[in-house]
Amino acid sequence: MKQKTYLYIGIIILLILLISAFIEIPVESGPNYNTIAPLLGILIFYNPIILIIYIGIAIFLIWKGIGKRIKFV
């Protein structure tokens, strides 16, 4: 894959995570009982480790996409 592709995929992942924090979806919590949960909560299953993994993958892809353009010390 080209470096630009990594960059774009990483940015898209971060945008999806950011947008999903504001989208609320009704979730069935029991018989005849619905709650409203953000889509991000459903994506990460209310587990912050999963969110860290998603963000880590996105940052790695962005870093790989711009790695040769920016010289890191």
Side-chain angles (χ1 to χ4, degrees):
M1 289 174 79
K2 293 183 178 181
Q3 285 185 334
K4 282 188 176 182
T5 308
Y6 290 127
L7 178 68
Y8 294 142
I9 291 173
I11 291 172
I12 289 171
I13 290 171
L14 285 179
L15 285 175
I16 289 172
L17 290 174
L18 181 70
I19 291 170
S20 66
F22 298 105
I23 298 173
E24 295 186 347
I25 297 176
V27 178
E28 202 170 305
S29 296
N32 298 327
Y33 187 70
N34 289 333
T35 59
I36 296 177
L39 180 59
L40 182 62
I42 296 169
L43 286 176
I44 65 171
F45 308 110
Y46 294 103
N47 188 347
I49 295 173
I50 302 295
L51 178 62
I52 291 170
I53 291 171
Y54 284 151
I55 292 173
I57 290 170
I59 289 173
F60 173 75
L61 289 172
I62 291 172
W63 174 73
K64 189 158 174 84
I66 62 172
K68 290 188 179 180
R69 293 185 200 146
I70 298 175
K71 300 232 177 190
F72 295 104
V73 178

